[in-house]
Amino acid sequence: MLALVKPRPGPGLVLQDVPEPVLGINDVLIRVHKTGICGTDLHIDAWDAWAARTIHPPRIVGHEFVGEIVEVGSNVADFHPGDLVSGEGHVVCGRCRHCLAGRRHLCANTIGLGVERDGAFAELVALPITNIWHHWPGIDEEIAAIFDPFGNAVHTALAFPVLGEDVLISGAGPTGLMATAVVRHAGARHIVVNEPNAYRRDLAMRMGATVAVDPLERDLRQTFEGLDMVEGFDVALEMSGNAAALKAAIGAMAHGGAIALLGIPVGEIALDVNDIVFKSLTLRGIYGREMYETWYKMTVMLQSGLDIRPAITHRFEFRDFEAAFAAARQGDSGKVIMDWTT
Ligand code: NAD
Ligand code: ZN
């Protein structure tokens, strides 16, 4: 089969003919239809310090996908050839305290698809049934392809109640864009999106933002007056990984506010803890998605009118992966999809 591989340490990815995955008794084999490119894939392609530390080539990359089951392991009864499925990209241990208690998103022994095990940028991928989400009828395949990052957006957006609240979203990458639509769907009053890229600010407005602010031009507090905001934001979603954005968010929170942290900074961030203490702020880290409550919520929100399609801006055939990665790398894009059926 063809797969997109990091063949050896160093920059770049190669489309290679590789052996088909070996199917374990509890696994399903999936013919991949569509995949989404994640920032993680860009890091692995570029071979930055994180990738050099984490990836052991040769490795098939990619974890955002939708496909059709073509074969099931001998122990599998609940999944069948023809099922349209996506994969939860975190393969957990199943034996630790959190896994046993059903809090699998908190497993400390998580193995990442396309990171620590061979991934989904391939014609076929195998995964244990514990990591398979069987899509409900009527879910669009392109949306299904990005359920994994959509799950990050939903898990973060719903970390704190947003009904009637004023919400700040820092960073309008694909995740911040999807979160904007989710927070709007969930009944926020105002949504202020902070994003230096003009193309992404436009997309944020299409996703339901009240205002999209360029942090290089305008201080967040300057938005308050026009929005009848008195003290600051009730909830903030940190989706940029940027130190200045986090500091600006803390400075613009109302007392008692809550910040969900999804963005992954490249290094340490120095914060004045006084701001957190005296405002009685809650800061909560978010990693991945809840298995499978977030997946359920994504599905029912789509059924009840949530529309995240404007967040998908570019589509390529998998053979044009270099163009697809270039589109994802340069800032003027939302989510980039690759089609593996051509
Ligand atoms: P992205 O890099 O496409 O988006 C980040 C956005 O932040 C960019 O549009 C960038 O222009 C913007 N930004 C830069 N400086 C800013 C500033 N000062 N103020 C406001 N915005 C600023 O990333 P993405 O794919 O949308 O993911 C969002 C973040 O979440 C990334 O940091 C990513 O690494 C992280 N992530 C975390 C998890 C997790 O499980 N915790 C999973 C996936 C992604
Ligand atoms: Zn575990």
Side-chain angles (χ1 to χ4, degrees), residues 19-330:
E20 293 188 2
V22 178
L23 197 63
I25 60 168
N26 293 313
D27 292 352
V28 298
L29 186 65
I30 301 154
R31 182 164 301 287
V32 176
H33 288 183
K34 290 183 165 60
T35 58
I37 297 178
C38 170
T40 305
D41 307 317
L42 300 179
H43 290 297
I44 299 172
D45 176 30
W47 203 248
D48 61 11
W50 170 84
R53 228 178 21 246
T54 315
I55 307 291
H56 300 290
R59 173 70 68 234
I60 301 172
V61 300
H63 57 273
E64 303 176 359
F65 75 94
V66 64
E68 180 186 333
I69 294 182
V70 288
E71 196 183 331
V72 302
S74 58
N75 204 31
V76 177
D78 297 334
F79 293 90
H80 307 282
D83 289 352
L84 191 73
V85 297
S86 287
E88 159 60 55
H90 290 174
V91 181
V92 299
C93 77
R95 299 300 310 158
C96 71
R97 172 189 174 180
H98 289 303
C99 280
L100 289 175
R103 298 184 294 264
R104 289 184 276 175
H105 60 293
L106 297 180
C107 177
N109 311 312
T110 297
I111 300 289
L113 182 66
V115 177
E116 284 117 350
R117 60 181 278 158
D118 278 336
F121 287 178
E123 290 180 293
L124 295 165
V125 62
L127 266 175
I129 50 169
T130 48
N131 279 65
I132 301 299
W133 177 261
H134 187 178
H135 285 291
W136 298 14
I139 300 294
D140 180 84
E141 272 208 19
E142 282 194 347
I143 302 296
I146 56 169
F147 253 48
D148 180 293
F150 178 26
N152 295 329
V154 167
H155 190 192
T156 315
L158 303 184
F160 300 104
V162 293
L163 176 64
E165 303 288 36
D166 295 329
V167 179
L168 169 67
I169 298 182
S170 303
T175 323
L177 290 170
M178 290 187 277
T180 302
V182 173
V183 168
R184 177 58 71 208
H185 188 77
R189 182 175 73 150
H190 295 313
I191 306 170
V192 176
V193 175
N194 204 18
E195 167 61 57
N197 178 298
Y199 177 95
R200 290 183 163 184
R201 284 201 303 278
D202 283 348
L203 277 178
M205 294 304 292
R206 287 182 61 197
M207 302 301 287
T210 315
V211 190
V213 180
D214 180 352
L216 305 176
E217 279 185 358
R218 212 162 144 208
D219 186 272
L220 282 174
R221 306 190 67 87
Q222 292 172 339
T223 59
F224 293 0
E225 203 176 49
L227 300 177
D228 282 336
M229 284 172 58
V230 180
E231 224 187 276
F233 296 102
D234 306 297
V235 174
L237 313 181
E238 195 337 275
M239 300 191 144
S240 73
N242 182 282
L246 176 58
K247 289 182 188 184
I250 290 173
M253 296 304 289
H255 282 227
I259 307 179
L261 302 164
L262 181 89
I264 302 174
V266 284
E268 293 181 4
I269 299 178
L271 297 175
D272 186 348
V273 177
N274 282 287
D275 295 337
I276 299 168
V277 171
F278 289 115
K279 280 188 174 177
S280 305
L281 299 183
T282 301
L283 271 66
R284 174 173 163 198
I286 303 286
Y287 184 51
R289 306 137 295 279
E290 286 189 34
M291 304 166 210
Y292 280 86
E293 181 65 6
T294 308
W295 295 72
Y296 177 89
K297 289 242 172 77
M298 287 187 265
T299 304
V300 295
M301 283 192 289
L302 290 170
Q303 287 187 332
S304 57
L306 172 66
D307 184 9
I308 60 162
R309 277 173 303 182
I312 301 173
T313 56
H314 292 71
R315 295 153 178 93
F316 295 89
E317 294 180 6
F318 74 97
R319 287 188 175 79
D320 297 330
F321 71 92
E322 274 165 345
F325 271 68
R329 205 178 301 118
Q330 59 95 12

